[in-house]
Amino acid sequence: MSPLHFLTLSPFLLAAVLPLLGKMAPRLHKGWVAAVWSAILFMTLIGYSAEIQAGSPINESLAWIPSLGISFTLYLDGLSLLFALLITGMGTLVSIYSIGYMNAAENSLNRFYVCLLIFMGAMLGLVLSDNLLTLYGFWELTSVTSFLLIGYNHAKQRSRYGALKSLLITMTGGLGLLSGFILLYIMSGTYTIRELFEAGAPLASHPLFLPAMLLILFGAFTKSAQYPFHIWLPDAMEAPTPVSAYLHSATMVKAGLYLVARMSPIFAGAPEWFWIVSLGGLITLLYGSVTAVKQTDLKGILAYSTISQLGLIMCLLGLSSLTGLMEGEERLLYAAAGTAALFHLLNHAVFKGSLFMIAGIVDHETGTRDIRKLGGLAQVMPIAFTISLFGALSMAGLPPFGGFLSKEMFLEAVIEPLHAGVFRLETWGVLFPIIAWIASVFTFVYSALLVARTFLGPRKKELQHSKIHDAPFLMTFPPALLGVLALVLGLFPSLAAYSLIAPAVEAMMPIITASGERLSPDIKLWHGFTPALWMTIGVVAAGTLLTLTARKWTRVYTFFPSKFSISGFYDVSLNFFERLTFRVTSLYMNGSSRSYIKYILGFMLLVLGFILFNSADITFRVGAYAQIAPYEWLILLGLAAAALAVPFTKSRPVAIILTGTVGYLMTLMFVFLRAPDLALTQMVVESISVTLYLLCFYHLPKLRTEQRAVRFQLPNFLVAVAVGILMTLIALAVLGTNPFEPVSDYYVRESYESAGGKNIVNVILVDFRGFDTMLEIMVLGVASLGIYNMIKLRRKATDVGSRQVMHEGEFAEEDAAEMRKSQYGYDGPEADFNEQAEEETAESDSPAKGGEENA
């Protein structure tokens, strides 16, 4: 295993041993382990930066499924290095912050840090993978772990709702992403991203090129919360603040941006790619900035501002795709949009991470995040005020912070398309600077309101008698470091421009270095009186006016009913499908095992019967069978007699013994048929089964002895007869039809030569069918865990997932409803949980100090 593979997989290994470390050192906070290891990974990646900056990417590969062309290939270039440093660097700071934020007495730290480390490893695997299928595997793993982290406070209904919402939306996009990757494989014959880049122009002329592009963008837009798939991000703010600072400012929401940047060499130059990415990002930018102004929750403001900033970066990635259509100096001119995108991505992670942490500190100290109940905190929390001021100024795009530089580059980038001369940008391109300027004004407004209504003005009565102060060092250090870094990136942008941004842009747009040239990013604090600077002056003037008069004009938001929002449509749709599936399921889930078997067998009859009687190559063999010896007839008759006697017995032990008799007679048949391995296996399984059945059934009550009349049911009779006839025909067809070479010849030939085993059956199970055996073991493991949890929880015997069926001696419908309510937080799909959500929101707004309950 290469060092790069170990670096990627090490968070998973640490997550596996973290609970054991907790038992060995119970007083050690798990956050220190996560922080130290994240810092080690960060420094290791820094060690690769000189090699990457010199233009020597690192490529390491491990064979995974060679027959399918799937390998665990890792590729570290400038683009993946930038994202990997963000993942590990922010992971270090978030782990340190969470040590002070997460109370070990009130929270399950093992669960928190295990999920956090798995998420870190999944993100590292995502940005380093050079194989589409491994990238997809890590992509979905980030969705699963984010679901667990968002729903960390699973006792709260809103946490479960936000976690489920994010999972449904992002994994739906992931399904589209997988479809797009498969189409790329069909087009090119490879899953390797490098080889896709080399395929070049022939891919663009393929009829599957546009569908693959749309599916991949669908996955990227859902992951990076682009409009209209943004609705999961605000509800994900129910996660603990360290999770919000990590997932929703620096890592998970950046995954879609990374995918667009990585796929740009394949799709750049296509008009559909340009318009969807750039215009979609611009709409998201405007929507997020306008909506953030009306929010009253600190994390709500930051959530919509994150949506807005992600849209800005996505728009820049779309504008940078014009590079593939230009030549010479014009190519470098439009490559500046890509430079701005990656530089703002870095700036956004810095200032948004600090602001999320400050929001957590304010909530931790005051017990509320509602800016209507805050104010005047600058006097008692001067450090938090200073850090939030740095972050807000950078987010608003004001000098001398890093956000100002990338925002200026953004405004310049939206002006340049007017002169591109392609895609009719000389007319439609005017939308870019207009929408960008309006969105920038609202960005200034919500940044100013965030600081002013939280820290300035008089303190509210609810907080005047509270002992509020700055947070402890462990909670203050990470956001303070990020605040200082926001200032350093503005004053000394060259520190990141040449070592991180330039190699990342060259990796995103390899066409720049195809002729041997290197990118020289021109990022500086003063760039003269350019149109972008005049636009910034207008943003400050208009933003200041709107901020001072905000209480008057923000009333306009009340005219837009929330019921007609996209999130409202999601809720209505989800409720509709829950009700629909509940009613459809209740039609056939009647609690009768006999009915379920009848449905399964009926479906099998339709499918197999259709295949059997519509296949022209099938012949039925009715002769030339081996002779059956008299003793074999006796064994078969005894087997049939024992099987027929089972349903008529009145004693459970007798029924078990008869069942075992069937198995042992089958074992005897295997012996006479010269299959000693099967006979031995059958004997062992049968002995264990009979013993376990006798042990279990010994504690059950005796069988009822009263006589009951059994009605003849024609549908059951017809299904039984039809299944018997169909199975007989299939057996005859299998014996009489042999269109392929017998697979047994392959196993006989390869078992010893390829697998090195003389026992063919064992070799088939362990080597040739290794994945089947592994999945069977996994199923048994999951079943064992389920049985263990059922015994441990000692739940009532009610079905919380389907309609309760009343039987004599069982619980009533009221008991089932109570069980569903305790399980889901509301009475299944038949109840509306809006009232409960409002109650929990009211509780979270209470001024009680304590932090995590309201975080």
Side-chain angles (χ1 to χ4, degrees), residues 562-577:
S562 59
K563 291 183 179 180
F564 299 102
S565 64
I566 299 176
S567 187
F569 174 76
Y570 165 85
D571 293 333
V572 171
S573 301
L574 188 62
N575 190 47
F576 169 76
F577 285 112

Side-chain angles (χ1 to χ4, degrees), residues 52-244:
I52 300 300
Q53 189 176 355
S56 301
I58 300 169
N59 189 6
E60 302 288 350
S61 182
L62 280 176
W64 182 20
I65 311 178
S67 60
L68 298 179
I70 302 174
S71 59
F72 185 23
T73 304
L74 300 180
Y75 190 83
L76 183 64
D77 59 2
L79 184 62
S80 53
L81 177 64
L82 173 62
F83 279 85
L85 289 174
L86 283 177
I87 293 164
T88 54
M90 286 297 298
T92 303
L93 296 178
V94 167
S95 298
I96 296 174
Y97 177 84
S98 63
I99 296 172
Y101 188 88
M102 305 293 289
N103 189 341
E106 300 176 0
N107 302 280
S108 175
L109 298 186
N110 274 338
R111 178 161 55 91
F112 178 81
Y113 287 107
V114 165
C115 292
L116 198 68
L117 286 169
I118 294 176
F119 176 83
M120 180 187 297
M123 280 299 304
L124 284 174
L126 191 156
V127 301
L128 294 174
S129 291
D130 192 45
N131 186 282
L132 293 178
L133 291 187
T134 54
L135 187 153
Y136 169 75
F138 286 117
W139 179 281
E140 293 293 53
L141 187 56
T142 60
S143 296
V144 173
T145 49
S146 67
F147 165 78
L148 297 174
L149 289 168
I150 294 169
Y152 176 76
N153 297 319
H154 54 81
K156 296 175 60 178
Q157 186 274 328
R158 294 304 303 180
S159 295
R160 300 195 301 272
Y161 172 79
L164 180 62
K165 194 174 188 178
S166 67
L167 184 71
L168 288 177
I169 294 176
T170 57
M171 295 203 79
T172 301
L175 181 61
L177 179 67
L178 176 61
S179 304
F181 284 170
I182 292 175
L183 292 183
L184 281 180
Y185 174 77
I186 294 174
M187 295 160 57
S188 62
T190 180
Y191 286 115
T192 304
I193 298 176
R194 303 296 117 195
E195 295 177 1
L196 285 171
F197 292 169
E198 297 172 0
L203 292 180
S205 59
H206 199 282
L208 296 178
F209 181 77
L210 182 58
M213 175 199 302
L214 296 177
L215 289 168
I216 290 173
L217 286 179
F218 175 57
F221 274 38
T222 54
K223 201 76 161 184
S224 286
Q226 298 297 293
Y227 188 90
F229 310 109
H230 65 282
I231 55 175
W232 66 268
L233 186 58
D235 289 292
M237 293 300 113
E238 292 296 327
T241 298
V243 174
S244 299

Side-chain angles (χ1 to χ4, degrees), residues 3-32:
L4 199 58
H5 283 94
F6 177 76
L7 182 147
T8 305
L9 298 177
S10 61
F12 299 103
L13 301 175
L14 183 59
V17 302
L18 190 63
L20 300 178
L21 293 177
K23 291 184 178 181
M24 295 171 58
R27 295 186 178 181
L28 177 65
H29 197 288
K30 315 297 188 302
W32 286 116

